[in-house]
Amino acid sequence: MTRTPTIADVARLAGVGKGTASRAISGNGAVAPETLQRVREAVAALNFRPSNAARALSTKRTGMVGIYVHDFAGDFFGPILQAVDGELRGANRHMVAANGCGLGGMGGADDADSRQRALDGIRFLIERECDGVLVVSNALSSEDLDMLWREKAPLVVLNQTSSSRPEHCFSTDHELAGRLAAHALLQQGHRELACISGLQTAPDNALRMAGFHAELAQHGVVIPASRQREGQFSFDGGHAAAQALLAQGLEFSALFCANDTMAMAAIACLSKHGLKVPDQLSVLGFDDSVLARYTTPALSTVRVPSVDMAANGCRFLLNLCYGLSLPVQREFPPEVVWRDSVRPGPHANESTPAVQVKVARKRSPTLKA
C-alpha cells in the first residue's frame, strides 16, 4: 500500500527544513518567494494534504471559526453566512455554523427558549474547538455576552453593541436608521402613519423603533397605539399585523415596517384587499434585503449594510485569532434606498427640516436615490 506523504517528505523534496515547509503550507510566518514556490511544487508533486489534527496540535489552532445565527435561511442570515464563508476561505480557514431555528421569529416566540438555544449553540461551537465565534442573535443580553466573553473562545458580535467590549461589536446605528425611516416618510409628505415593529425584546428593533418615534415626535407626529402592531420579523407576522391594521380602517397614508420581510407580506395583504401600493398607500421597509428590488412594486427601504458588518467582523476575528493584518472597517452608516413603494403623500408641499441627531457620535444621514 502506498504510504501517505508527510511534511518531512515535502521538506526533503523542496530542499528545506520541516519548519520552513510548515510555515509555507500554513501561511503562518515569513517565507522567501522562491522557497514558497519550491514548497508548493513539492506539495503538488506528492499530492500532499495537511493533517488538520496534526496542524492543530502544533499550532494550537484548528483553522475553524464558528458562527451562530438564528436561522440558516432568509434574506438576512443567508447573505451574512455567505460573506463570512467567503472571508474564511480567503484566509484558508473554515466555517462551522450553528442555528436556533424553529423559534418563531428572529427573537423567538418564547424569549427564554430562544436565549437558551442561542447559548447552547454558541457553547456547541466553543466545545468543537473553534478558534473564534461570530454571533448574530437578538436573544442575548449584554450580561449574556459578558458571560460568553469570559469563556474560552474569542467572540465577535454582529448587529449588536456592548459597552463592555465595543471593539468586539460590529453594528450599524439602528437608532439613526429609525430616524432616517421617519424622515423619509415625512419628507414625502406623510404625517398620518402606521407601523409594524419587530419583537420589542430584540435590541436592534427597540433602537430603530425608538429612533423612528423620536424623529416623528420632533416634527409633531405621534402614531396612535391603534396604528401600531408587532410582527415578529416574519412573513406570517407581517401579514397578520397588516390585516389587523386594515381592520381598524385605512386612516393612514404610509406604513413603516421594521424589516423588509414584514413589508413584503404587508404589501401582499394590502393587494389582497384591493389596495394599490403606492397609489393608495405607501410602504417603507428596513434592511434592503436581496428581494426588496424584485417585489411589485420594488420596495423602498432603509439599507443596513449587514454583509459589510459580517465581513469586517470576520476579518477582525481572523486578526485576533491568527495574528493576521486584514483591513477592518468599523463605520456602517444606514441609508434610505428609494424605489417604487413610496410616493408623495397628502402633505408633500410642506417642507421637512433635516433629521434631528443629538448624539455627536452619529453620522449624518444619507439618502440614496
Side-chain angles (χ1 to χ4, degrees):
M1 187 171 76
T2 305
R3 182 174 67 86
T4 301
T6 66
I7 189 72
D9 297 323
V10 173
R12 191 178 305 110
L13 183 59
V16 300
K18 285 176 60 176
T20 301
S22 178
R23 290 195 302 276
I25 292 169
S26 68
N28 295 324
V31 178
E34 60 274 14
T35 303
L36 180 61
Q37 183 60 33
R38 292 206 310 275
V39 172
R40 286 176 174 171
E41 290 172 356
V43 166
L46 295 170
N47 195 27
F48 173 73
R49 295 290 181 270
S51 165
N52 287 334
R55 182 164 51 196
L57 286 172
S58 63
T59 64
K60 309 301 182 185
R61 292 285 186 268
T62 63
M64 298 186 301
V65 171
I67 178 168
Y68 176 84
V69 296
H70 168 74
D71 197 344
F72 291 153
D75 287 341
F76 184 78
F77 295 110
I80 285 177
L81 289 167
Q82 291 173 354
V84 169
D85 185 59
E87 292 294 331
L88 293 176
R89 287 180 182 273
N92 196 29
R93 267 69 181 185
H94 300 281
M95 182 174 76
V96 181
N99 72 38
C101 51
L103 303 180
M106 284 180 69
D110 184 330
D111 295 333
D113 186 41
S114 180
R115 172 183 175 273
Q116 191 56 52
R117 290 199 187 196
L119 292 172
D120 290 345
I122 294 165
R123 289 200 173 103
F124 166 85
L125 296 170
I126 295 173
E127 289 166 1
R128 292 308 180 276
E129 302 296 335
C130 289
D131 297 326
V133 177
L134 291 158
V135 174
V136 195
S137 174
N138 274 327
L140 300 177
S141 66
S142 296
E143 291 74 20
D144 291 327
L145 294 176
D146 287 341
M147 175 181 63
L148 289 166
W149 272 315
R150 292 193 292 269
E151 299 192 11
K152 184 178 180 182
L155 196 76
V156 169
V157 179
L158 305 179
N159 203 44
Q160 190 173 343
T161 58
S162 170
S163 58
S164 60
R165 295 204 187 184
E167 72 281 4
H168 285 241
C169 300
F170 289 76
S171 182
T172 193
D173 188 332
H174 284 282
E175 183 183 353
L176 174 59
R179 287 181 175 273
L180 286 173
H183 185 265
L185 294 176
L186 291 171
Q187 184 185 50
Q188 291 296 310
H190 295 283
R191 297 179 69 84
E192 291 76 33
L193 305 175
C195 64
I196 302 175
S197 72
L199 291 167
Q200 292 304 311
T201 53
D204 58 346
N205 175 78
L207 287 169
R208 83 186 57 153
M209 295 310 299
F212 179 73
H213 289 294
E215 185 65 25
L216 292 179
Q218 288 182 352
H219 296 283
V221 176
V222 176
I223 302 178
S226 62
R227 298 207 300 260
Q228 299 184 44
R229 290 293 184 275
E230 187 174 289
Q232 296 189 354
F233 286 133
S234 66
F235 285 115
D236 288 344
H239 192 281
Q243 182 81 33
L245 287 171
L246 289 178
Q248 299 288 327
L250 192 62
E251 299 178 351
F252 50 94
S253 64
L255 171 65
F256 170 59
C257 300
N259 81 342
D260 289 345
T261 297
M262 295 190 298
M264 294 172 198
I267 290 174
C269 178
L270 295 169
S271 177
K272 186 184 299 183
H273 285 80
L275 295 170
K276 295 182 179 180
V277 176
D279 295 341
Q280 294 170 275
L281 184 68
S282 291
V283 177
L284 180 68
F286 192 98
D287 281 339
D288 192 25
S289 62
V290 175
L291 292 178
R293 69 196 67 182
Y294 300 111
T295 60
T296 303
L299 185 63
S300 294
T301 185
V302 178
R303 179 177 183 266
V304 171
S306 55
V307 168
D308 292 341
M309 287 190 290
N312 282 276
C314 185
R315 290 174 202 153
F316 174 80
L317 189 58
L318 285 167
N319 292 345
L320 188 65
C321 293
Y322 305 110
L324 305 181
S325 299
L326 300 172
V328 175
Q329 175 188 340
R330 289 193 170 274
E331 293 292 329
F332 309 101
E335 60 183 351
V336 175
V337 180
W338 294 109
R339 294 194 179 99
D340 304 324
S341 65
V342 175
R343 67 174 297 175
H347 308 277
N349 294 326
E350 300 176 12
S351 62
T352 302
V355 173
Q356 303 297 311
V357 180
K358 294 183 177 179
V359 182
R361 66 178 177 81
K362 293 180 180 176
R363 303 188 65 160
S364 300
T366 303
L367 300 180
K368 182 179 179 181

